[in-house]
Amino acid sequence: MIQTLLNITLSALGTTLSMPGYLYGGFVFIALIPLFFALEKKRPFTSAIITFVYFFLFSFINFHYLINTLTTGLPELFGRFGASTGFAVYLLFGILEALPFLLFGFLYGLWLEKTRLRLFEPLFVGSIYVISDYLRGIGDLGFTGGRLSDALYNFKGLIQILPYTGTLGLVFIVVVVNYESYKLLKKNKQNIVLVLSVVALIFLLNGIVESFLPKSVGDKPVVLAQTNMPQKVKYSYEASEIVKYLQDSFSESHNYLTIFPEGVFPGTDIRNSEIEKSLLETFKNRIFIIGFPTLETKDAYNSAVIYSKGTFLNKYDKVQLFPFVETLPYKTIFGRLEFLKGMYYFSSGEIKTFDIPGYGKVGIQICFESFFPYISRKLSEKSEFLVVITNDGWYNSKIPLIQHFAQAIFRAVETRRNVIQVSNTGISGVVDEYGNYTILPDGTAWRTLYVKSNTQNTFYTKYGDYIVIACLLFNIITGITAKKKSSLFD
């Protein structure tokens, strides 16, 4: 039991240290080896518990920065709950993240040792992991942060597989490498040299592919306007003070398409107000995108509003809302968590693109929507480049900022679209279609960067997460052809 817990903990720590913002992404190719040792000779229900505990520990450690947000940030701003309640919500988050991995462990213990061919083993393990990870990202509680692929955001050679498979294809490869490494070490501990050689070969392949990647040069100037406004300050300012700050900080920026972050006016719909009039007068010679809530007759929306040379052009309303804070999912189950609400409970908008004069078709996403590949895929079908506006001012750590910006890199390579991300106090920059990026230095208010358009759709854009269906079919075949039945418990 102690050895099993130790192996689970080692895998959770190893996976965490490979994530963006921690130590080194290459650790992900060996991080799961202790987990597979923990699963040795375990029956389905025991295996399910082991993999659940692994992913819970990983989520608890990796997303530790949310503890401060839930125990300090939100209570101080909205005052609806205390620190202990916030920590309990964080534990609930970890449990919800880990639940799909009950399936991974159960199927691992049920069928792995009964596969007909040795070749099928790593394919089966990779398939059930992919399915579990996919399930974690769907529905009103879905979230894709913490995928094994996240570790490789800076491995520009390896991520060139994304236009064909998406990040789940990369997850599949990582799991297969870990499993085969485990099998080598199980056979002979001295095979550690061989395992490390295989990993080194992967790194070499990454470097070779990266060396052949073309340099992408943009030709459309865009002003990234990072407001750098701490959360406490932003929520305490009157709308008139915020517009004065924008005028002082950005009126001298170039008259190109200007992109401001999400929620610049956090609680105020400034449309048809003196605030809007003052803002439009300041930026009357340009097109700009700015985030604030828009209130309709019965609904509120988290919006990115587009203005064109002094007039309202259009707006995008956030589609994938943050559970509990922006929307209350599954009210019959989680109705008592309504106290987590931010300024409003928002209604969901529609995925759509916008024709911006001089820039073509543009797709806009808000905040953590960049974690969801399906939104970028749908947008890129008709857009020439993508924009992400966000407010990452909730965090007192660099780790969540890096993990969020990493998603812009994945979405750019998957769709072969330039992606612009503009944050409040987070990371703002431009990512090209190969994963190269330029970011604003810390403390920079604004900078003009360049993007280029692309209208060709990738294989992944057209067919999405087809790999999940392939994995599901393979699992069904594995189950049907399993050698024999066994008990579900040890």
mmCIF file of all heavy atoms in Angstrom, residues 114-140:
data_model
loop_
_atom_site.group_PDB
_atom_site.id
_atom_site.type_symbol
_atom_site.label_atom_id
_atom_site.label_comp_id
_atom_site.label_asym_id
_atom_site.label_seq_id
_atom_site.Cartn_x
_atom_site.Cartn_y
_atom_site.Cartn_z
ATOM 1 N N LYS A 114 -5.618 -8.925 -20.747
ATOM 2 C CA LYS A 114 -6.323 -9.924 -21.546
ATOM 3 C C LYS A 114 -6.330 -9.591 -23.032
ATOM 4 O O LYS A 114 -7.055 -10.189 -23.801
ATOM 5 C CB LYS A 114 -7.757 -10.069 -21.026
ATOM 6 C CG LYS A 114 -7.779 -10.598 -19.601
ATOM 7 C CD LYS A 114 -8.800 -9.840 -18.773
ATOM 8 C CE LYS A 114 -8.560 -10.133 -17.306
ATOM 9 N NZ LYS A 114 -7.690 -9.109 -16.687
ATOM 10 N N THR A 115 -5.544 -8.552 -23.409
ATOM 11 C CA THR A 115 -5.455 -8.227 -24.837
ATOM 12 C C THR A 115 -4.775 -9.368 -25.583
ATOM 13 O O THR A 115 -3.883 -10.033 -25.055
ATOM 14 C CB THR A 115 -4.661 -6.925 -25.052
ATOM 15 O OG1 THR A 115 -3.387 -7.043 -24.409
ATOM 16 C CG2 THR A 115 -5.404 -5.736 -24.477
ATOM 17 N N ARG A 116 -5.200 -9.579 -26.810
ATOM 18 C CA ARG A 116 -4.721 -10.716 -27.592
ATOM 19 C C ARG A 116 -3.287 -10.550 -28.077
ATOM 20 O O ARG A 116 -2.539 -11.511 -28.157
ATOM 21 C CB ARG A 116 -5.639 -10.923 -28.806
ATOM 22 C CG ARG A 116 -7.029 -11.414 -28.447
ATOM 23 C CD ARG A 116 -7.023 -12.875 -28.066
ATOM 24 N NE ARG A 116 -8.351 -13.358 -27.696
ATOM 25 C CZ ARG A 116 -8.588 -14.604 -27.310
ATOM 26 N NH1 ARG A 116 -7.600 -15.485 -27.240
ATOM 27 N NH2 ARG A 116 -9.814 -14.979 -26.987
ATOM 28 N N LEU A 117 -2.918 -9.318 -28.415
ATOM 29 C CA LEU A 117 -1.590 -9.083 -28.974
ATOM 30 C C LEU A 117 -0.832 -8.075 -28.116
ATOM 31 O O LEU A 117 -1.409 -7.097 -27.631
ATOM 32 C CB LEU A 117 -1.695 -8.554 -30.406
ATOM 33 C CG LEU A 117 -2.363 -9.474 -31.442
ATOM 34 C CD1 LEU A 117 -2.534 -8.736 -32.757
ATOM 35 C CD2 LEU A 117 -1.524 -10.741 -31.634
ATOM 36 N N ARG A 118 0.454 -8.322 -27.933
ATOM 37 C CA ARG A 118 1.295 -7.389 -27.170
ATOM 38 C C ARG A 118 1.284 -5.996 -27.793
ATOM 39 O O ARG A 118 1.310 -4.969 -27.084
ATOM 40 C CB ARG A 118 2.727 -7.949 -27.119
ATOM 41 C CG ARG A 118 3.784 -6.974 -26.604
ATOM 42 C CD ARG A 118 3.597 -6.669 -25.121
ATOM 43 N NE ARG A 118 4.624 -5.771 -24.659
ATOM 44 C CZ ARG A 118 4.573 -4.440 -24.727
ATOM 45 N NH1 ARG A 118 3.502 -3.853 -25.251
ATOM 46 N NH2 ARG A 118 5.557 -3.695 -24.274
ATOM 47 N N LEU A 119 1.202 -5.933 -29.120
ATOM 48 C CA LEU A 119 1.162 -4.654 -29.827
ATOM 49 C C LEU A 119 -0.042 -3.818 -29.413
ATOM 50 O O LEU A 119 0.006 -2.588 -29.422
ATOM 51 C CB LEU A 119 1.119 -4.903 -31.342
ATOM 52 C CG LEU A 119 0.943 -3.671 -32.247
ATOM 53 C CD1 LEU A 119 2.148 -2.740 -32.095
ATOM 54 C CD2 LEU A 119 0.746 -4.088 -33.689
ATOM 55 N N PHE A 120 -1.131 -4.487 -29.036
ATOM 56 C CA PHE A 120 -2.348 -3.777 -28.672
ATOM 57 C C PHE A 120 -2.249 -3.067 -27.318
ATOM 58 O O PHE A 120 -2.997 -2.126 -27.054
ATOM 59 C CB PHE A 120 -3.528 -4.746 -28.636
ATOM 60 C CG PHE A 120 -4.082 -5.083 -29.986
ATOM 61 C CD1 PHE A 120 -3.444 -4.668 -31.146
ATOM 62 C CD2 PHE A 120 -5.252 -5.825 -30.103
ATOM 63 C CE1 PHE A 120 -3.947 -4.984 -32.395
ATOM 64 C CE2 PHE A 120 -5.773 -6.135 -31.353
ATOM 65 C CZ PHE A 120 -5.121 -5.722 -32.503
ATOM 66 N N GLU A 121 -1.359 -3.534 -26.451
ATOM 67 C CA GLU A 121 -1.309 -2.996 -25.079
ATOM 68 C C GLU A 121 -1.095 -1.485 -25.034
ATOM 69 O O GLU A 121 -1.909 -0.765 -24.440
ATOM 70 C CB GLU A 121 -0.240 -3.716 -24.266
ATOM 71 C CG GLU A 121 -0.613 -5.128 -23.860
ATOM 72 C CD GLU A 121 0.421 -5.730 -22.917
ATOM 73 O OE1 GLU A 121 1.155 -4.961 -22.265
ATOM 74 O OE2 GLU A 121 0.492 -6.963 -22.847
ATOM 75 N N PRO A 122 -0.006 -0.940 -25.603
ATOM 76 C CA PRO A 122 0.190 0.515 -25.519
ATOM 77 C C PRO A 122 -0.905 1.294 -26.242
ATOM 78 O O PRO A 122 -1.293 2.381 -25.794
ATOM 79 C CB PRO A 122 1.556 0.720 -26.183
ATOM 80 C CG PRO A 122 1.750 -0.467 -27.057
ATOM 81 C CD PRO A 122 1.096 -1.601 -26.330
ATOM 82 N N LEU A 123 -1.424 0.724 -27.343
ATOM 83 C CA LEU A 123 -2.494 1.400 -28.073
ATOM 84 C C LEU A 123 -3.762 1.454 -27.225
ATOM 85 O O LEU A 123 -4.487 2.457 -27.216
ATOM 86 C CB LEU A 123 -2.770 0.670 -29.389
ATOM 87 C CG LEU A 123 -1.575 0.513 -30.336
ATOM 88 C CD1 LEU A 123 -1.992 -0.229 -31.598
ATOM 89 C CD2 LEU A 123 -0.975 1.870 -30.683
ATOM 90 N N PHE A 124 -4.024 0.363 -26.509
ATOM 91 C CA PHE A 124 -5.192 0.309 -25.633
ATOM 92 C C PHE A 124 -5.057 1.318 -24.491
ATOM 93 O O PHE A 124 -5.997 2.068 -24.195
ATOM 94 C CB PHE A 124 -5.348 -1.105 -25.073
ATOM 95 C CG PHE A 124 -6.351 -1.210 -23.965
ATOM 96 C CD1 PHE A 124 -7.708 -1.068 -24.211
ATOM 97 C CD2 PHE A 124 -5.940 -1.445 -22.658
ATOM 98 C CE1 PHE A 124 -8.639 -1.158 -23.189
ATOM 99 C CE2 PHE A 124 -6.857 -1.540 -21.634
ATOM 100 C CZ PHE A 124 -8.213 -1.399 -21.895
ATOM 101 N N VAL A 125 -3.885 1.365 -23.859
ATOM 102 C CA VAL A 125 -3.673 2.284 -22.737
ATOM 103 C C VAL A 125 -3.789 3.731 -23.203
ATOM 104 O O VAL A 125 -4.439 4.566 -22.557
ATOM 105 C CB VAL A 125 -2.301 2.027 -22.079
ATOM 106 C CG1 VAL A 125 -2.033 3.056 -20.982
ATOM 107 C CG2 VAL A 125 -2.247 0.621 -21.491
ATOM 108 N N GLY A 126 -3.162 4.042 -24.343
ATOM 109 C CA GLY A 126 -3.280 5.396 -24.878
ATOM 110 C C GLY A 126 -4.711 5.754 -25.206
ATOM 111 O O GLY A 126 -5.157 6.889 -24.971
ATOM 112 N N SER A 127 -5.470 4.789 -25.718
ATOM 113 C CA SER A 127 -6.854 5.041 -26.109
ATOM 114 C C SER A 127 -7.745 5.336 -24.917
ATOM 115 O O SER A 127 -8.556 6.279 -24.947
ATOM 116 C CB SER A 127 -7.405 3.834 -26.881
ATOM 117 O OG SER A 127 -6.754 3.687 -28.121
ATOM 118 N N ILE A 128 -7.622 4.555 -23.854
ATOM 119 C CA ILE A 128 -8.503 4.786 -22.708
ATOM 120 C C ILE A 128 -8.137 6.081 -21.975
ATOM 121 O O ILE A 128 -9.007 6.737 -21.387
ATOM 122 C CB ILE A 128 -8.531 3.592 -21.740
ATOM 123 C CG1 ILE A 128 -7.133 3.225 -21.230
ATOM 124 C CG2 ILE A 128 -9.193 2.382 -22.387
ATOM 125 C CD1 ILE A 128 -7.129 2.107 -20.195
ATOM 126 N N TYR A 129 -6.862 6.454 -22.034
ATOM 127 C CA TYR A 129 -6.478 7.738 -21.432
ATOM 128 C C TYR A 129 -7.083 8.883 -22.241
ATOM 129 O O TYR A 129 -7.632 9.841 -21.675
ATOM 130 C CB TYR A 129 -4.957 7.883 -21.370
ATOM 131 C CG TYR A 129 -4.509 9.015 -20.468
ATOM 132 C CD1 TYR A 129 -4.018 8.760 -19.198
ATOM 133 C CD2 TYR A 129 -4.609 10.349 -20.878
ATOM 134 C CE1 TYR A 129 -3.623 9.795 -18.355
ATOM 135 C CE2 TYR A 129 -4.230 11.389 -20.055
ATOM 136 C CZ TYR A 129 -3.743 11.110 -18.795
ATOM 137 O OH TYR A 129 -3.362 12.144 -17.967
ATOM 138 N N VAL A 130 -6.986 8.805 -23.560
ATOM 139 C CA VAL A 130 -7.539 9.854 -24.425
ATOM 140 C C VAL A 130 -9.036 10.010 -24.191
ATOM 141 O O VAL A 130 -9.549 11.138 -24.075
ATOM 142 C CB VAL A 130 -7.255 9.532 -25.909
ATOM 143 C CG1 VAL A 130 -8.157 10.349 -26.831
ATOM 144 C CG2 VAL A 130 -5.791 9.794 -26.238
ATOM 145 N N ILE A 131 -9.757 8.908 -24.105
ATOM 146 C CA ILE A 131 -11.205 8.977 -23.890
ATOM 147 C C ILE A 131 -11.526 9.636 -22.540
ATOM 148 O O ILE A 131 -12.406 10.494 -22.443
ATOM 149 C CB ILE A 131 -11.833 7.579 -23.968
ATOM 150 C CG1 ILE A 131 -11.774 7.065 -25.415
ATOM 151 C CG2 ILE A 131 -13.274 7.588 -23.475
ATOM 152 C CD1 ILE A 131 -12.185 5.635 -25.574
ATOM 153 N N SER A 132 -10.802 9.254 -21.501
ATOM 154 C CA SER A 132 -11.024 9.840 -20.179
ATOM 155 C C SER A 132 -10.738 11.332 -20.185
ATOM 156 O O SER A 132 -11.491 12.134 -19.610
ATOM 157 C CB SER A 132 -10.137 9.136 -19.144
ATOM 158 O OG SER A 132 -10.451 7.763 -19.056
ATOM 159 N N ASP A 133 -9.652 11.720 -20.843
ATOM 160 C CA ASP A 133 -9.294 13.138 -20.898
ATOM 161 C C ASP A 133 -10.304 13.934 -21.726
ATOM 162 O O ASP A 133 -10.622 15.083 -21.405
ATOM 163 C CB ASP A 133 -7.896 13.291 -21.489
ATOM 164 C CG ASP A 133 -7.139 14.470 -20.891
ATOM 165 O OD1 ASP A 133 -7.625 15.034 -19.897
ATOM 166 O OD2 ASP A 133 -6.062 14.814 -21.404
ATOM 167 N N TYR A 134 -10.815 13.322 -22.773
ATOM 168 C CA TYR A 134 -11.825 13.985 -23.593
ATOM 169 C C TYR A 134 -13.104 14.216 -22.782
ATOM 170 O O TYR A 134 -13.696 15.305 -22.837
ATOM 171 C CB TYR A 134 -12.134 13.136 -24.823
ATOM 172 C CG TYR A 134 -13.266 13.678 -25.661
ATOM 173 C CD1 TYR A 134 -13.071 14.758 -26.509
ATOM 174 C CD2 TYR A 134 -14.537 13.090 -25.604
ATOM 175 C CE1 TYR A 134 -14.117 15.262 -27.274
ATOM 176 C CE2 TYR A 134 -15.582 13.587 -26.370
ATOM 177 C CZ TYR A 134 -15.362 14.668 -27.197
ATOM 178 O OH TYR A 134 -16.410 15.160 -27.957
ATOM 179 N N LEU A 135 -13.524 13.228 -22.025
ATOM 180 C CA LEU A 135 -14.732 13.355 -21.205
ATOM 181 C C LEU A 135 -14.597 14.485 -20.192
ATOM 182 O O LEU A 135 -15.567 15.168 -19.870
ATOM 183 C CB LEU A 135 -15.023 12.035 -20.485
ATOM 184 C CG LEU A 135 -15.466 10.869 -21.377
ATOM 185 C CD1 LEU A 135 -15.585 9.592 -20.554
ATOM 186 C CD2 LEU A 135 -16.781 11.186 -22.067
ATOM 187 N N ARG A 136 -13.388 14.693 -19.711
ATOM 188 C CA ARG A 136 -13.138 15.750 -18.730
ATOM 189 C C ARG A 136 -13.389 17.141 -19.321
ATOM 190 O O ARG A 136 -13.641 18.095 -18.576
ATOM 191 C CB ARG A 136 -11.688 15.632 -18.251
ATOM 192 C CG ARG A 136 -11.297 16.533 -17.104
ATOM 193 C CD ARG A 136 -9.934 16.161 -16.578
ATOM 194 N NE ARG A 136 -8.897 16.363 -17.585
ATOM 195 C CZ ARG A 136 -8.213 17.507 -17.741
ATOM 196 N NH1 ARG A 136 -8.472 18.534 -16.963
ATOM 197 N NH2 ARG A 136 -7.268 17.604 -18.657
ATOM 198 N N GLY A 137 -13.338 17.261 -20.638
ATOM 199 C CA GLY A 137 -13.440 18.565 -21.266
ATOM 200 C C GLY A 137 -14.791 18.898 -21.865
ATOM 201 O O GLY A 137 -14.936 19.949 -22.484
ATOM 202 N N ILE A 138 -15.797 18.032 -21.683
ATOM 203 C CA ILE A 138 -17.098 18.305 -22.306
ATOM 204 C C ILE A 138 -18.148 18.652 -21.245
ATOM 205 O O ILE A 138 -17.962 18.395 -20.062
ATOM 206 C CB ILE A 138 -17.587 17.096 -23.148
ATOM 207 C CG1 ILE A 138 -17.792 15.864 -22.259
ATOM 208 C CG2 ILE A 138 -16.605 16.799 -24.272
ATOM 209 C CD1 ILE A 138 -18.381 14.681 -23.024
ATOM 210 N N GLY A 139 -19.229 19.230 -21.695
ATOM 211 C CA GLY A 139 -20.321 19.564 -20.788
ATOM 212 C C GLY A 139 -20.129 20.910 -20.109
ATOM 213 O O GLY A 139 -19.114 21.596 -20.282
ATOM 214 N N ASP A 140 -21.097 21.287 -19.297
ATOM 215 C CA ASP A 140 -21.068 22.577 -18.605
ATOM 216 C C ASP A 140 -19.960 22.662 -17.561
ATOM 217 O O ASP A 140 -19.605 23.765 -17.122
ATOM 218 C CB ASP A 140 -22.419 22.838 -17.936
ATOM 219 C CG ASP A 140 -23.524 23.083 -18.949
ATOM 220 O OD1 ASP A 140 -23.187 23.432 -20.105
ATOM 221 O OD2 ASP A 140 -24.708 22.918 -18.599
#
